[in-house]
């Protein structure tokens, strides 16, 4: 298939100014050119249904732009040399959203991820697409404030309840016990365990108030699980604050699927 073009050209015959093009692979572009390259504002339609409309610089998405993916997801925000970088909002196919900073196509810096199914949201730091650093995980009638490492809460933190009290404690990474039979296969990482230290009224403590501590490991791989008064049980479904670690894990898995889809989309749609 020949490449077709209608539009302005410069003195050397190169595309320059406004024009329309149909590429050999069936994609189309309509917008601005500079000396033969897509530069300025334009709309690129992929034959598979994806679409990008926004700024270009020398054939690369660069500046402000919106990308609509075939699965119904959408990114609107900053681009640098064909990559999501700067500030932007991503609406995922499952209804989740991320609004915040990006680097190299990944969530990186400060950002808010909202889980549509539960209404919960993570507000805090990200590193290379993973929850990492000081953050809050906000649920319907309580929230967790602490630090995350590789997508999981770890170290000192507190659950804050709307009824006006807090449960302080620490997420501890259990020691991985080695079994002779499983030498060939690496063991699955254990979930951090929440260990309660005290119940208090509302306090101003924040994870930013202290330096990042080296995670503590418990002897024998078991942590003492604290009990809390029944008055602290969350109202919805009688959820127990100690069960929040599992809830965070579920939402994290959903978010990892979305990250994989993002990476695949970048591979499939160069633009």
């Amino acid at each position: 298939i020949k490449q077709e073009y209608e539009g302005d050209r410069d003195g050397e015959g190169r595309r320059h100014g406004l024009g329309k093009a149909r590429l050999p692979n069936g994609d189309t572009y309509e917008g601005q050119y500079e000396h033969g390259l897509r530069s300025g504002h334009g709309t690129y339609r992929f034959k598979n249904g994806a679409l990008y409309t926004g700024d270009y610089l020398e054939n690369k998405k660069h500046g402000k732009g919106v990308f609509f993916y075939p699965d119904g997801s959408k990114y609107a925000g900053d681009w640098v040399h064909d990559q999501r970088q700067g500030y932007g909002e991503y609406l995922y196919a499952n209804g989740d959203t991320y609004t915040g900073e990006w680097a190299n196509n990944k969530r990186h810096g400060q950002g808010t991820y909202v889980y549509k199914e539960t209404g919960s949201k993570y507000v805090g730091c990200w590193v290379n697409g993973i929850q990492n650093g000081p953050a809050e995980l906000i649920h319907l009638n309580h929230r967790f404030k602490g630090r995350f490492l590789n997508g999981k809460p770890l170290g000192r933190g507190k659950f804050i309840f709307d009824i006006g009290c807090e449960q302080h404690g620490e997420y501890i990474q259990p020691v991985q016990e080695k079994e002779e039979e499983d030498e060939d296969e690496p063991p699955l990482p254990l979930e951090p365990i929440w260990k309660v230290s005290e119940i208090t009224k509302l306090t101003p403590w924040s994870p930013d108030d202290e330096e990042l501590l080296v995670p503590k490991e418990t002897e024998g791989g078991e942590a003492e699980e604290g009990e809390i008064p029944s008055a602290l049980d969350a109202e919805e479904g009688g959820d127990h604050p100690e069960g929040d670690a599992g809830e965070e894990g579920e939402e994290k898995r959903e978010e990892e699927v979305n990250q994989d889809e993002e990476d695949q989309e970048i591979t499939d749609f160069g633009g």
Side-chain angles (χ1 to χ4, degrees), residues 56-72:
Y56 275 93
L57 181 64
E58 298 179 347
N59 274 356
K60 293 185 177 180
K61 298 183 284 292
H62 190 92
K64 303 281 187 184
V66 183
F67 203 123
F68 298 88
Y69 297 93
D71 65 356

Side-chain angles (χ1 to χ4, degrees), residues 93-144:
N94 65 357
D96 290 358
T97 61
Y98 171 80
T99 305
E101 296 175 310
W102 297 79
N104 301 318
N105 279 330
K106 294 184 177 181
R107 301 180 288 268
H108 189 89
Q110 288 289 324
T112 299
Y113 191 103
V114 180
Y115 303 90
K116 183 184 178 184
E117 186 176 351
T118 62
S120 298
K121 62 181 177 180
Y122 173 96
V123 182
C125 292
W126 299 77
V127 177
N128 293 324
I130 299 172
Q131 298 168 345
N132 215 321
E136 283 190 75
L137 188 60
I138 303 169
H139 302 293
L140 181 62
N141 53 13
H142 69 283
R143 56 199 165 101
F144 171 77

Side-chain angles (χ1 to χ4, degrees), residues 237-250:
D239 286 337
H240 211 269
E242 275 119 287
D244 289 337
E247 191 174 322
E248 287 157 15
E250 271 184 40

Side-chain angles (χ1 to χ4, degrees), residues 100-230:
E101 296 175 310
W102 297 79
N104 301 318
N105 279 330
K106 294 184 177 181
R107 301 180 288 268
H108 189 89
Q110 288 289 324
T112 299
Y113 191 103
V114 180
Y115 303 90
K116 183 184 178 184
E117 186 176 351
T118 62
S120 298
K121 62 181 177 180
Y122 173 96
V123 182
C125 292
W126 299 77
V127 177
N128 293 324
I130 299 172
Q131 298 168 345
N132 215 321
E136 283 190 75
L137 188 60
I138 303 169
H139 302 293
L140 181 62
N141 53 13
H142 69 283
R143 56 199 165 101
F144 171 77
K145 198 169 189 176
R147 286 183 177 271
F148 284 71
L149 181 66
N150 295 325
K152 297 181 185 299
L154 198 63
R156 280 188 61 193
K158 64 179 181 179
F159 285 94
I160 306 164
F161 297 89
D162 292 353
I163 58 175
C165 61
E166 298 178 344
Q167 182 192 78
H168 295 253
E170 185 176 12
Y171 270 106
I172 297 171
Q173 183 64 54
V175 174
Q176 189 76 51
E177 293 185 7
K178 295 180 181 180
E179 297 183 11
E180 295 180 6
E181 297 82 10
D182 298 334
E183 288 182 355
D184 295 338
E185 296 183 11
L188 294 174
L190 298 175
E191 290 292 324
I193 297 172
W194 176 246
K195 183 177 180 181
V196 178
S197 61
E198 62 178 337
I199 308 294
T200 70
K201 295 180 180 179
L202 298 181
T203 66
W205 181 87
S206 166
D208 296 316
D209 295 341
E210 61 181 45
E211 295 181 9
L212 182 59
L213 301 175
V214 177
K216 292 182 180 178
E217 293 187 340
T218 59
E219 297 180 5
E222 292 183 2
E224 177 186 342
E225 292 195 27
E227 294 186 7
I228 63 172
S230 59

Side-chain angles (χ1 to χ4, degrees), residues 39-55:
S39 284
H41 191 82
T43 298
Y44 191 106
R45 299 174 187 274
F46 298 81
K47 63 180 180 180
N48 64 2
L51 180 147
Y52 171 80
T53 182
D55 299 329

